[in-house]
Amino acid sequence: MAAEQYYDEAMAILARDGAAGLKIGPLCRALGVTSGSFYHHFGSWSGFVRRLLEFWETDQTDRVVRLARATADPLQRMVLTKELTLGLRHDCDAAIRAWAAIDPEVGRAQRRVDGQRRAALEQVVADVVPDAAEAHRLAVLGISLMAGFQQTCDPRDKDLLRGLFDDYQRLIMTYAGAPLGSGPPSNG
């Protein structure tokens, strides 16, 4: 069994049951493998957690940043970033945020991911909003919007999140000096 299958199932368990539900036994049962197979792949629980967090960071942050940067047009990059962000596993992110409050290693990973996401968003916004200080504040607002949504709403409510991100995009366009309705149309 590939390590990615363990990570995908662990993310599903986190999204459904939170960190308290993520244990070797339930994970192995869900995958139909033995705990020996788990230890063969990861050596220990802490080894698994470290690699799971690396997978999460790569899959849910690095991949999104790479895909967004592949688009040359700044307005299209902003729209693509929004669409890619809508596709994140927000229910899993919400569980990781809660887990981060009680596990220092998870907390470090969460802060690193938030920092990477903010920096990437700031680059996207700065391509549309000429003032660097405004672009920075708008990026912090965007990450805060996403994290707040994950913590205070049903993270599976994609319609609400799309509406919030559409509002956020309109706000960015006002800072860019464009009329409120300008920019590429939303797909929602």
Side-chain angles (χ1 to χ4, degrees), residues 53 56-57 96-97 99-119 143:
L53 293 170
W56 170 65
E57 184 172 346
I96 290 173
R97 286 185 186 287
W99 190 10
I102 59 172
D103 185 307
E105 182 177 4
V106 178
R108 285 188 295 278
Q110 178 66 64
R111 287 187 297 280
R112 188 173 53 251
V113 164
D114 282 344
Q116 290 169 349
R117 288 174 175 176
R118 189 213 37 83
I143 294 301

mmCIF file with all atom_site columns, all heavy atoms in Angstrom, residues 53 56-57 96-97 99-119 143:
data_model
loop_
_atom_site.group_PDB
_atom_site.id
_atom_site.type_symbol
_atom_site.label_atom_id
_atom_site.label_alt_id
_atom_site.label_comp_id
_atom_site.label_asym_id
_atom_site.label_entity_id
_atom_site.label_seq_id
_atom_site.pdbx_PDB_ins_code
_atom_site.Cartn_x
_atom_site.Cartn_y
_atom_site.Cartn_z
_atom_site.occupancy
_atom_site.B_iso_or_equiv
_atom_site.pdbx_formal_charge
_atom_site.auth_seq_id
_atom_site.auth_comp_id
_atom_site.auth_asym_id
_atom_site.auth_atom_id
_atom_site.pdbx_PDB_model_num
ATOM 1   N N   . LEU A 1 53  ? 1.860  15.519 7.903  1.00 0.00 ? 53  LEU A N   1
ATOM 2   C CA  . LEU A 1 53  ? 1.887  16.983 7.856  1.00 0.00 ? 53  LEU A CA  1
ATOM 3   C C   . LEU A 1 53  ? 2.653  17.480 6.632  1.00 0.00 ? 53  LEU A C   1
ATOM 4   O O   . LEU A 1 53  ? 2.260  18.473 6.005  1.00 0.00 ? 53  LEU A O   1
ATOM 5   C CB  . LEU A 1 53  ? 2.479  17.547 9.147  1.00 0.00 ? 53  LEU A CB  1
ATOM 6   C CG  . LEU A 1 53  ? 1.630  17.313 10.393 1.00 0.00 ? 53  LEU A CG  1
ATOM 7   C CD1 . LEU A 1 53  ? 2.409  17.698 11.643 1.00 0.00 ? 53  LEU A CD1 1
ATOM 8   C CD2 . LEU A 1 53  ? 0.297  18.039 10.315 1.00 0.00 ? 53  LEU A CD2 1
ATOM 9   N N   . TRP A 1 56  ? 0.282  17.012 3.739  1.00 0.00 ? 56  TRP A N   1
ATOM 10  C CA  . TRP A 1 56  ? -0.753 18.054 3.789  1.00 0.00 ? 56  TRP A CA  1
ATOM 11  C C   . TRP A 1 56  ? -0.198 19.373 3.266  1.00 0.00 ? 56  TRP A C   1
ATOM 12  O O   . TRP A 1 56  ? -0.832 20.067 2.467  1.00 0.00 ? 56  TRP A O   1
ATOM 13  C CB  . TRP A 1 56  ? -1.260 18.185 5.233  1.00 0.00 ? 56  TRP A CB  1
ATOM 14  C CG  . TRP A 1 56  ? -2.147 19.346 5.489  1.00 0.00 ? 56  TRP A CG  1
ATOM 15  C CD1 . TRP A 1 56  ? -3.391 19.579 4.961  1.00 0.00 ? 56  TRP A CD1 1
ATOM 16  C CD2 . TRP A 1 56  ? -1.877 20.446 6.348  1.00 0.00 ? 56  TRP A CD2 1
ATOM 17  N NE1 . TRP A 1 56  ? -3.904 20.759 5.456  1.00 0.00 ? 56  TRP A NE1 1
ATOM 18  C CE2 . TRP A 1 56  ? -2.992 21.308 6.306  1.00 0.00 ? 56  TRP A CE2 1
ATOM 19  C CE3 . TRP A 1 56  ? -0.799 20.781 7.166  1.00 0.00 ? 56  TRP A CE3 1
ATOM 20  C CZ2 . TRP A 1 56  ? -3.048 22.478 7.039  1.00 0.00 ? 56  TRP A CZ2 1
ATOM 21  C CZ3 . TRP A 1 56  ? -0.857 21.945 7.892  1.00 0.00 ? 56  TRP A CZ3 1
ATOM 22  C CH2 . TRP A 1 56  ? -1.976 22.785 7.829  1.00 0.00 ? 56  TRP A CH2 1
ATOM 23  N N   . GLU A 1 57  ? 0.997  19.729 3.708  1.00 0.00 ? 57  GLU A N   1
ATOM 24  C CA  . GLU A 1 57  ? 1.608  20.984 3.271  1.00 0.00 ? 57  GLU A CA  1
ATOM 25  C C   . GLU A 1 57  ? 1.849  20.976 1.764  1.00 0.00 ? 57  GLU A C   1
ATOM 26  O O   . GLU A 1 57  ? 1.548  21.960 1.073  1.00 0.00 ? 57  GLU A O   1
ATOM 27  C CB  . GLU A 1 57  ? 2.918  21.201 4.016  1.00 0.00 ? 57  GLU A CB  1
ATOM 28  C CG  . GLU A 1 57  ? 3.588  22.509 3.732  1.00 0.00 ? 57  GLU A CG  1
ATOM 29  C CD  . GLU A 1 57  ? 4.793  22.761 4.632  1.00 0.00 ? 57  GLU A CD  1
ATOM 30  O OE1 . GLU A 1 57  ? 4.964  22.056 5.646  1.00 0.00 ? 57  GLU A OE1 1
ATOM 31  O OE2 . GLU A 1 57  ? 5.556  23.687 4.311  1.00 0.00 ? 57  GLU A OE2 1
ATOM 32  N N   . ILE A 1 96  ? -7.112 20.056 11.657 1.00 0.00 ? 96  ILE A N   1
ATOM 33  C CA  . ILE A 1 96  ? -5.678 20.287 11.904 1.00 0.00 ? 96  ILE A CA  1
ATOM 34  C C   . ILE A 1 96  ? -5.493 21.544 12.753 1.00 0.00 ? 96  ILE A C   1
ATOM 35  O O   . ILE A 1 96  ? -4.650 21.578 13.649 1.00 0.00 ? 96  ILE A O   1
ATOM 36  C CB  . ILE A 1 96  ? -4.897 20.352 10.578 1.00 0.00 ? 96  ILE A CB  1
ATOM 37  C CG1 . ILE A 1 96  ? -4.861 18.945 9.947  1.00 0.00 ? 96  ILE A CG1 1
ATOM 38  C CG2 . ILE A 1 96  ? -3.491 20.902 10.796 1.00 0.00 ? 96  ILE A CG2 1
ATOM 39  C CD1 . ILE A 1 96  ? -4.273 18.891 8.559  1.00 0.00 ? 96  ILE A CD1 1
ATOM 40  N N   . ARG A 1 97  ? -6.293 22.567 12.513 1.00 0.00 ? 97  ARG A N   1
ATOM 41  C CA  . ARG A 1 97  ? -6.209 23.775 13.347 1.00 0.00 ? 97  ARG A CA  1
ATOM 42  C C   . ARG A 1 97  ? -6.508 23.451 14.807 1.00 0.00 ? 97  ARG A C   1
ATOM 43  O O   . ARG A 1 97  ? -5.830 23.934 15.713 1.00 0.00 ? 97  ARG A O   1
ATOM 44  C CB  . ARG A 1 97  ? -7.169 24.850 12.843 1.00 0.00 ? 97  ARG A CB  1
ATOM 45  C CG  . ARG A 1 97  ? -6.709 25.517 11.584 1.00 0.00 ? 97  ARG A CG  1
ATOM 46  C CD  . ARG A 1 97  ? -7.602 26.669 11.155 1.00 0.00 ? 97  ARG A CD  1
ATOM 47  N NE  . ARG A 1 97  ? -7.149 27.147 9.872  1.00 0.00 ? 97  ARG A NE  1
ATOM 48  C CZ  . ARG A 1 97  ? -6.032 27.854 9.690  1.00 0.00 ? 97  ARG A CZ  1
ATOM 49  N NH1 . ARG A 1 97  ? -5.285 28.188 10.723 1.00 0.00 ? 97  ARG A NH1 1
ATOM 50  N NH2 . ARG A 1 97  ? -5.670 28.245 8.482  1.00 0.00 ? 97  ARG A NH2 1
ATOM 51  N N   . TRP A 1 99  ? -6.185 20.491 16.242 1.00 0.00 ? 99  TRP A N   1
ATOM 52  C CA  . TRP A 1 99  ? -5.079 19.628 16.670 1.00 0.00 ? 99  TRP A CA  1
ATOM 53  C C   . TRP A 1 99  ? -3.851 20.469 16.988 1.00 0.00 ? 99  TRP A C   1
ATOM 54  O O   . TRP A 1 99  ? -3.121 20.201 17.941 1.00 0.00 ? 99  TRP A O   1
ATOM 55  C CB  . TRP A 1 99  ? -4.809 18.631 15.565 1.00 0.00 ? 99  TRP A CB  1
ATOM 56  C CG  . TRP A 1 99  ? -3.891 17.490 15.842 1.00 0.00 ? 99  TRP A CG  1
ATOM 57  C CD1 . TRP A 1 99  ? -3.366 17.089 17.046 1.00 0.00 ? 99  TRP A CD1 1
ATOM 58  C CD2 . TRP A 1 99  ? -3.394 16.564 14.875 1.00 0.00 ? 99  TRP A CD2 1
ATOM 59  N NE1 . TRP A 1 99  ? -2.571 15.986 16.869 1.00 0.00 ? 99  TRP A NE1 1
ATOM 60  C CE2 . TRP A 1 99  ? -2.578 15.640 15.544 1.00 0.00 ? 99  TRP A CE2 1
ATOM 61  C CE3 . TRP A 1 99  ? -3.565 16.439 13.502 1.00 0.00 ? 99  TRP A CE3 1
ATOM 62  C CZ2 . TRP A 1 99  ? -1.924 14.595 14.882 1.00 0.00 ? 99  TRP A CZ2 1
ATOM 63  C CZ3 . TRP A 1 99  ? -2.926 15.394 12.846 1.00 0.00 ? 99  TRP A CZ3 1
ATOM 64  C CH2 . TRP A 1 99  ? -2.119 14.494 13.532 1.00 0.00 ? 99  TRP A CH2 1
ATOM 65  N N   . ALA A 1 100 ? -3.620 21.515 16.211 1.00 0.00 ? 100 ALA A N   1
ATOM 66  C CA  . ALA A 1 100 ? -2.456 22.383 16.403 1.00 0.00 ? 100 ALA A CA  1
ATOM 67  C C   . ALA A 1 100 ? -2.449 23.047 17.778 1.00 0.00 ? 100 ALA A C   1
ATOM 68  O O   . ALA A 1 100 ? -1.385 23.366 18.312 1.00 0.00 ? 100 ALA A O   1
ATOM 69  C CB  . ALA A 1 100 ? -2.414 23.451 15.309 1.00 0.00 ? 100 ALA A CB  1
ATOM 70  N N   . ALA A 1 101 ? -3.629 23.228 18.349 1.00 0.00 ? 101 ALA A N   1
ATOM 71  C CA  . ALA A 1 101 ? -3.722 23.872 19.666 1.00 0.00 ? 101 ALA A CA  1
ATOM 72  C C   . ALA A 1 101 ? -3.194 22.975 20.784 1.00 0.00 ? 101 ALA A C   1
ATOM 73  O O   . ALA A 1 101 ? -2.830 23.474 21.850 1.00 0.00 ? 101 ALA A O   1
ATOM 74  C CB  . ALA A 1 101 ? -5.166 24.262 19.955 1.00 0.00 ? 101 ALA A CB  1
ATOM 75  N N   . ILE A 1 102 ? -3.112 21.663 20.539 1.00 0.00 ? 102 ILE A N   1
ATOM 76  C CA  . ILE A 1 102 ? -2.680 20.745 21.600 1.00 0.00 ? 102 ILE A CA  1
ATOM 77  C C   . ILE A 1 102 ? -1.408 19.968 21.273 1.00 0.00 ? 102 ILE A C   1
ATOM 78  O O   . ILE A 1 102 ? -0.887 19.269 22.130 1.00 0.00 ? 102 ILE A O   1
ATOM 79  C CB  . ILE A 1 102 ? -3.812 19.747 21.964 1.00 0.00 ? 102 ILE A CB  1
ATOM 80  C CG1 . ILE A 1 102 ? -4.232 18.927 20.748 1.00 0.00 ? 102 ILE A CG1 1
ATOM 81  C CG2 . ILE A 1 102 ? -4.995 20.481 22.572 1.00 0.00 ? 102 ILE A CG2 1
ATOM 82  C CD1 . ILE A 1 102 ? -5.188 17.796 21.051 1.00 0.00 ? 102 ILE A CD1 1
ATOM 83  N N   . ASP A 1 103 ? -0.910 20.091 20.049 1.00 0.00 ? 103 ASP A N   1
ATOM 84  C CA  . ASP A 1 103 ? 0.296  19.361 19.650 1.00 0.00 ? 103 ASP A CA  1
ATOM 85  C C   . ASP A 1 103 ? 1.293  20.349 19.043 1.00 0.00 ? 103 ASP A C   1
ATOM 86  O O   . ASP A 1 103 ? 1.031  20.913 17.981 1.00 0.00 ? 103 ASP A O   1
ATOM 87  C CB  . ASP A 1 103 ? -0.065 18.271 18.642 1.00 0.00 ? 103 ASP A CB  1
ATOM 88  C CG  . ASP A 1 103 ? 1.115  17.393 18.269 1.00 0.00 ? 103 ASP A CG  1
ATOM 89  O OD1 . ASP A 1 103 ? 2.167  17.932 17.858 1.00 0.00 ? 103 ASP A OD1 1
ATOM 90  O OD2 . ASP A 1 103 ? 0.970  16.156 18.359 1.00 0.00 ? 103 ASP A OD2 1
ATOM 91  N N   . PRO A 1 104 ? 2.430  20.549 19.696 1.00 0.00 ? 104 PRO A N   1
ATOM 92  C CA  . PRO A 1 104 ? 3.394  21.552 19.204 1.00 0.00 ? 104 PRO A CA  1
ATOM 93  C C   . PRO A 1 104 ? 3.892  21.297 17.782 1.00 0.00 ? 104 PRO A C   1
ATOM 94  O O   . PRO A 1 104 ? 4.060  22.242 17.017 1.00 0.00 ? 104 PRO A O   1
ATOM 95  C CB  . PRO A 1 104 ? 4.550  21.463 20.207 1.00 0.00 ? 104 PRO A CB  1
ATOM 96  C CG  . PRO A 1 104 ? 3.954  20.861 21.438 1.00 0.00 ? 104 PRO A CG  1
ATOM 97  C CD  . PRO A 1 104 ? 2.851  19.953 20.972 1.00 0.00 ? 104 PRO A CD  1
ATOM 98  N N   . GLU A 1 105 ? 4.116  20.039 17.413 1.00 0.00 ? 105 GLU A N   1
ATOM 99  C CA  . GLU A 1 105 ? 4.589  19.754 16.053 1.00 0.00 ? 105 GLU A CA  1
ATOM 100 C C   . GLU A 1 105 ? 3.532  20.134 15.019 1.00 0.00 ? 105 GLU A C   1
ATOM 101 O O   . GLU A 1 105 ? 3.833  20.735 13.988 1.00 0.00 ? 105 GLU A O   1
ATOM 102 C CB  . GLU A 1 105 ? 4.955  18.271 15.902 1.00 0.00 ? 105 GLU A CB  1
ATOM 103 C CG  . GLU A 1 105 ? 5.501  17.952 14.520 1.00 0.00 ? 105 GLU A CG  1
ATOM 104 C CD  . GLU A 1 105 ? 5.932  16.510 14.353 1.00 0.00 ? 105 GLU A CD  1
ATOM 105 O OE1 . GLU A 1 105 ? 5.752  15.691 15.277 1.00 0.00 ? 105 GLU A OE1 1
ATOM 106 O OE2 . GLU A 1 105 ? 6.475  16.201 13.277 1.00 0.00 ? 105 GLU A OE2 1
ATOM 107 N N   . VAL A 1 106 ? 2.283  19.809 15.311 1.00 0.00 ? 106 VAL A N   1
ATOM 108 C CA  . VAL A 1 106 ? 1.194  20.171 14.410 1.00 0.00 ? 106 VAL A CA  1
ATOM 109 C C   . VAL A 1 106 ? 1.043  21.694 14.380 1.00 0.00 ? 106 VAL A C   1
ATOM 110 O O   . VAL A 1 106 ? 0.818  22.281 13.319 1.00 0.00 ? 106 VAL A O   1
ATOM 111 C CB  . VAL A 1 106 ? -0.121 19.476 14.831 1.00 0.00 ? 106 VAL A CB  1
ATOM 112 C CG1 . VAL A 1 106 ? -1.272 19.895 13.927 1.00 0.00 ? 106 VAL A CG1 1
ATOM 113 C CG2 . VAL A 1 106 ? 0.046  17.957 14.815 1.00 0.00 ? 106 VAL A CG2 1
ATOM 114 N N   . GLY A 1 107 ? 1.206  22.330 15.530 1.00 0.00 ? 107 GLY A N   1
ATOM 115 C CA  . GLY A 1 107 ? 1.133  23.792 15.589 1.00 0.00 ? 107 GLY A CA  1
ATOM 116 C C   . GLY A 1 107 ? 2.189  24.457 14.725 1.00 0.00 ? 107 GLY A C   1
ATOM 117 O O   . GLY A 1 107 ? 1.900  25.438 14.018 1.00 0.00 ? 107 GLY A O   1
ATOM 118 N N   . ARG A 1 108 ? 3.407  23.923 14.743 1.00 0.00 ? 108 ARG A N   1
ATOM 119 C CA  . ARG A 1 108 ? 4.476  24.479 13.899 1.00 0.00 ? 108 ARG A CA  1
ATOM 120 C C   . ARG A 1 108 ? 4.129  24.313 12.415 1.00 0.00 ? 108 ARG A C   1
ATOM 121 O O   . ARG A 1 108 ? 4.320  25.236 11.612 1.00 0.00 ? 108 ARG A O   1
ATOM 122 C CB  . ARG A 1 108 ? 5.818  23.828 14.225 1.00 0.00 ? 108 ARG A CB  1
ATOM 123 C CG  . ARG A 1 108 ? 6.435  24.316 15.521 1.00 0.00 ? 108 ARG A CG  1
ATOM 124 C CD  . ARG A 1 108 ? 7.856  23.790 15.720 1.00 0.00 ? 108 ARG A CD  1
ATOM 125 N NE  . ARG A 1 108 ? 7.916  22.336 15.873 1.00 0.00 ? 108 ARG A NE  1
ATOM 126 C CZ  . ARG A 1 108 ? 7.694  21.683 17.018 1.00 0.00 ? 108 ARG A CZ  1
ATOM 127 N NH1 . ARG A 1 108 ? 7.413  22.355 18.120 1.00 0.00 ? 108 ARG A NH1 1
ATOM 128 N NH2 . ARG A 1 108 ? 7.786  20.370 17.062 1.00 0.00 ? 108 ARG A NH2 1
ATOM 129 N N   . ALA A 1 109 ? 3.610  23.146 12.064 1.00 0.00 ? 109 ALA A N   1
ATOM 130 C CA  . ALA A 1 109 ? 3.227  22.910 10.668 1.00 0.00 ? 109 ALA A CA  1
ATOM 131 C C   . ALA A 1 109 ? 2.101  23.855 10.258 1.00 0.00 ? 109 ALA A C   1
ATOM 132 O O   . ALA A 1 109 ? 2.125  24.419 9.158  1.00 0.00 ? 109 ALA A O   1
ATOM 133 C CB  . ALA A 1 109 ? 2.810  21.454 10.474 1.00 0.00 ? 109 ALA A CB  1
ATOM 134 N N   . GLN A 1 110 ? 1.121  24.043 11.147 1.00 0.00 ? 110 GLN A N   1
ATOM 135 C CA  . GLN A 1 110 ? -0.001 24.925 10.844 1.00 0.00 ? 110 GLN A CA  1
ATOM 136 C C   . GLN A 1 110 ? 0.482  26.361 10.617 1.00 0.00 ? 110 GLN A C   1
ATOM 137 O O   . GLN A 1 110 ? 0.067  27.016 9.662  1.00 0.00 ? 110 GLN A O   1
ATOM 138 C CB  . GLN A 1 110 ? -1.033 24.901 11.981 1.00 0.00 ? 110 GLN A CB  1
ATOM 139 C CG  . GLN A 1 110 ? -2.209 25.820 11.766 1.00 0.00 ? 110 GLN A CG  1
ATOM 140 C CD  . GLN A 1 110 ? -3.058 25.383 10.602 1.00 0.00 ? 110 GLN A CD  1
ATOM 141 O OE1 . GLN A 1 110 ? -3.635 24.319 10.651 1.00 0.00 ? 110 GLN A OE1 1
ATOM 142 N NE2 . GLN A 1 110 ? -3.122 26.181 9.561  1.00 0.00 ? 110 GLN A NE2 1
ATOM 143 N N   . ARG A 1 111 ? 1.359  26.834 11.485 1.00 0.00 ? 111 ARG A N   1
ATOM 144 C CA  . ARG A 1 111 ? 1.879  28.197 11.321 1.00 0.00 ? 111 ARG A CA  1
ATOM 145 C C   . ARG A 1 111 ? 2.686  28.328 10.029 1.00 0.00 ? 111 ARG A C   1
ATOM 146 O O   . ARG A 1 111 ? 2.598  29.339 9.327  1.00 0.00 ? 111 ARG A O   1
ATOM 147 C CB  . ARG A 1 111 ? 2.713  28.599 12.533 1.00 0.00 ? 111 ARG A CB  1
ATOM 148 C CG  . ARG A 1 111 ? 1.864  28.890 13.772 1.00 0.00 ? 111 ARG A CG  1
ATOM 149 C CD  . ARG A 1 111 ? 2.677  29.439 14.925 1.00 0.00 ? 111 ARG A CD  1
ATOM 150 N NE  . ARG A 1 111 ? 3.688  28.512 15.420 1.00 0.00 ? 111 ARG A NE  1
ATOM 151 C CZ  . ARG A 1 111 ? 3.455  27.488 16.260 1.00 0.00 ? 111 ARG A CZ  1
ATOM 152 N NH1 . ARG A 1 111 ? 2.236  27.269 16.701 1.00 0.00 ? 111 ARG A NH1 1
ATOM 153 N NH2 . ARG A 1 111 ? 4.430  26.716 16.659 1.00 0.00 ? 111 ARG A NH2 1
ATOM 154 N N   . ARG A 1 112 ? 3.459  27.298 9.699  1.00 0.00 ? 112 ARG A N   1
ATOM 155 C CA  . ARG A 1 112 ? 4.250  27.325 8.470  1.00 0.00 ? 112 ARG A CA  1
ATOM 156 C C   . ARG A 1 112 ? 3.318  27.375 7.245  1.00 0.00 ? 112 ARG A C   1
ATOM 157 O O   . ARG A 1 112 ? 3.522  28.171 6.332  1.00 0.00 ? 112 ARG A O   1
ATOM 158 C CB  . ARG A 1 112 ? 5.166  26.103 8.417  1.00 0.00 ? 112 ARG A CB  1
ATOM 159 C CG  . ARG A 1 112 ? 6.157  26.115 7.294  1.00 0.00 ? 112 ARG A CG  1
ATOM 160 C CD  . ARG A 1 112 ? 7.169  24.973 7.376  1.00 0.00 ? 112 ARG A CD  1
ATOM 161 N NE  . ARG A 1 112 ? 6.554  23.658 7.496  1.00 0.00 ? 112 ARG A NE  1
ATOM 162 C CZ  . ARG A 1 112 ? 6.576  22.897 8.600  1.00 0.00 ? 112 ARG A CZ  1
ATOM 163 N NH1 . ARG A 1 112 ? 7.183  23.314 9.690  1.00 0.00 ? 112 ARG A NH1 1
ATOM 164 N NH2 . ARG A 1 112 ? 5.997  21.714 8.609  1.00 0.00 ? 112 ARG A NH2 1
ATOM 165 N N   . VAL A 1 113 ? 2.280  26.542 7.243  1.00 0.00 ? 113 VAL A N   1
ATOM 166 C CA  . VAL A 1 113 ? 1.327  26.520 6.126  1.00 0.00 ? 113 VAL A CA  1
ATOM 167 C C   . VAL A 1 113 ? 0.607  27.861 6.018  1.00 0.00 ? 113 VAL A C   1
ATOM 168 O O   . VAL A 1 113 ? 0.473  28.418 4.922  1.00 0.00 ? 113 VAL A O   1
ATOM 169 C CB  . VAL A 1 113 ? 0.335  25.348 6.280  1.00 0.00 ? 113 VAL A CB  1
ATOM 170 C CG1 . VAL A 1 113 ? -0.884 25.519 5.387  1.00 0.00 ? 113 VAL A CG1 1
ATOM 171 C CG2 . VAL A 1 113 ? 1.047  24.034 5.983  1.00 0.00 ? 113 VAL A CG2 1
ATOM 172 N N   . ASP A 1 114 ? 0.147  28.402 7.143  1.00 0.00 ? 114 ASP A N   1
ATOM 173 C CA  . ASP A 1 114 ? -0.518 29.708 7.103  1.00 0.00 ? 114 ASP A CA  1
ATOM 174 C C   . ASP A 1 114 ? 0.423  30.773 6.551  1.00 0.00 ? 114 ASP A C   1
ATOM 175 O O   . ASP A 1 114 ? 0.007  31.614 5.747  1.00 0.00 ? 114 ASP A O   1
ATOM 176 C CB  . ASP A 1 114 ? -1.014 30.115 8.492  1.00 0.00 ? 114 ASP A CB  1
ATOM 177 C CG  . ASP A 1 114 ? -2.303 29.409 8.887  1.00 0.00 ? 114 ASP A CG  1
ATOM 178 O OD1 . ASP A 1 114 ? -2.990 28.847 8.005  1.00 0.00 ? 114 ASP A OD1 1
ATOM 179 O OD2 . ASP A 1 114 ? -2.623 29.428 10.091 1.00 0.00 ? 114 ASP A OD2 1
ATOM 180 N N   . GLY A 1 115 ? 1.676  30.745 6.956  1.00 0.00 ? 115 GLY A N   1
ATOM 181 C CA  . GLY A 1 115 ? 2.650  31.710 6.458  1.00 0.00 ? 115 GLY A CA  1
ATOM 182 C C   . GLY A 1 115 ? 2.886  31.568 4.964  1.00 0.00 ? 115 GLY A C   1
ATOM 183 O O   . GLY A 1 115 ? 2.955  32.569 4.228  1.00 0.00 ? 115 GLY A O   1
ATOM 184 N N   . GLN A 1 116 ? 2.996  30.327 4.498  1.00 0.00 ? 116 GLN A N   1
ATOM 185 C CA  . GLN A 1 116 ? 3.190  30.095 3.063  1.00 0.00 ? 116 GLN A CA  1
ATOM 186 C C   . GLN A 1 116 ? 1.971  30.537 2.266  1.00 0.00 ? 116 GLN A C   1
ATOM 187 O O   . GLN A 1 116 ? 2.107  31.148 1.201  1.00 0.00 ? 116 GLN A O   1
ATOM 188 C CB  . GLN A 1 116 ? 3.475  28.616 2.803  1.00 0.00 ? 116 GLN A CB  1
ATOM 189 C CG  . GLN A 1 116 ? 4.819  28.157 3.309  1.00 0.00 ? 116 GLN A CG  1
ATOM 190 C CD  . GLN A 1 116 ? 4.962  26.639 3.271  1.00 0.00 ? 116 GLN A CD  1
ATOM 191 O OE1 . GLN A 1 116 ? 4.006  25.905 3.059  1.00 0.00 ? 116 GLN A OE1 1
ATOM 192 N NE2 . GLN A 1 116 ? 6.176  26.181 3.486  1.00 0.00 ? 116 GLN A NE2 1
ATOM 193 N N   . ARG A 1 117 ? 0.805  30.228 2.781  1.00 0.00 ? 117 ARG A N   1
ATOM 194 C CA  . ARG A 1 117 ? -0.417 30.633 2.093  1.00 0.00 ? 117 ARG A CA  1
ATOM 195 C C   . ARG A 1 117 ? -0.552 32.153 2.053  1.00 0.00 ? 117 ARG A C   1
ATOM 196 O O   . ARG A 1 117 ? -0.922 32.732 1.028  1.00 0.00 ? 117 ARG A O   1
ATOM 197 C CB  . ARG A 1 117 ? -1.639 30.015 2.776  1.00 0.00 ? 117 ARG A CB  1
ATOM 198 C CG  . ARG A 1 117 ? -1.773 28.517 2.544  1.00 0.00 ? 117 ARG A CG  1
ATOM 199 C CD  . ARG A 1 117 ? -2.898 27.922 3.346  1.00 0.00 ? 117 ARG A CD  1
ATOM 200 N NE  . ARG A 1 117 ? -3.104 26.518 3.036  1.00 0.00 ? 117 ARG A NE  1
ATOM 201 C CZ  . ARG A 1 117 ? -3.968 25.734 3.655  1.00 0.00 ? 117 ARG A CZ  1
ATOM 202 N NH1 . ARG A 1 117 ? -4.729 26.222 4.637  1.00 0.00 ? 117 ARG A NH1 1
ATOM 203 N NH2 . ARG A 1 117 ? -4.088 24.467 3.312  1.00 0.00 ? 117 ARG A NH2 1
ATOM 204 N N   . ARG A 1 118 ? -0.242 32.812 3.163  1.00 0.00 ? 118 ARG A N   1
ATOM 205 C CA  . ARG A 1 118 ? -0.330 34.266 3.191  1.00 0.00 ? 118 ARG A CA  1
ATOM 206 C C   . ARG A 1 118 ? 0.657  34.891 2.213  1.00 0.00 ? 118 ARG A C   1
ATOM 207 O O   . ARG A 1 118 ? 0.320  35.802 1.452  1.00 0.00 ? 118 ARG A O   1
ATOM 208 C CB  . ARG A 1 118 ? -0.095 34.814 4.599  1.00 0.00 ? 118 ARG A CB  1
ATOM 209 C CG  . ARG A 1 118 ? -0.398 36.317 4.679  1.00 0.00 ? 118 ARG A CG  1
ATOM 210 C CD  . ARG A 1 118 ? 0.459  37.087 5.646  1.00 0.00 ? 118 ARG A CD  1
ATOM 211 N NE  . ARG A 1 118 ? 1.835  36.693 5.751  1.00 0.00 ? 118 ARG A NE  1
ATOM 212 C CZ  . ARG A 1 118 ? 2.825  37.079 4.917  1.00 0.00 ? 118 ARG A CZ  1
ATOM 213 N NH1 . ARG A 1 118 ? 2.580  37.865 3.898  1.00 0.00 ? 118 ARG A NH1 1
ATOM 214 N NH2 . ARG A 1 118 ? 4.054  36.668 5.118  1.00 0.00 ? 118 ARG A NH2 1
ATOM 215 N N   . ALA A 1 119 ? 1.888  34.394 2.194  1.00 0.00 ? 119 ALA A N   1
ATOM 216 C CA  . ALA A 1 119 ? 2.900  34.935 1.285  1.00 0.00 ? 119 ALA A CA  1
ATOM 217 C C   . ALA A 1 119 ? 2.489  34.731 -0.171 1.00 0.00 ? 119 ALA A C   1
ATOM 218 O O   . ALA A 1 119 ? 2.634  35.642 -1.003 1.00 0.00 ? 119 ALA A O   1
ATOM 219 C CB  . ALA A 1 119 ? 4.255  34.285 1.557  1.00 0.00 ? 119 ALA A CB  1
ATOM 220 N N   . ILE A 1 143 ? -6.410 35.260 4.369  1.00 0.00 ? 143 ILE A N   1
ATOM 221 C CA  . ILE A 1 143 ? -6.078 34.079 5.171  1.00 0.00 ? 143 ILE A CA  1
ATOM 222 C C   . ILE A 1 143 ? -6.937 34.051 6.424  1.00 0.00 ? 143 ILE A C   1
ATOM 223 O O   . ILE A 1 143 ? -7.414 32.986 6.841  1.00 0.00 ? 143 ILE A O   1
ATOM 224 C CB  . ILE A 1 143 ? -4.574 34.062 5.517  1.00 0.00 ? 143 ILE A CB  1
ATOM 225 C CG1 . ILE A 1 143 ? -3.747 33.890 4.236  1.00 0.00 ? 143 ILE A CG1 1
ATOM 226 C CG2 . ILE A 1 143 ? -4.254 32.979 6.527  1.00 0.00 ? 143 ILE A CG2 1
ATOM 227 C CD1 . ILE A 1 143 ? -4.041 32.630 3.441  1.00 0.00 ? 143 ILE A CD1 1
#
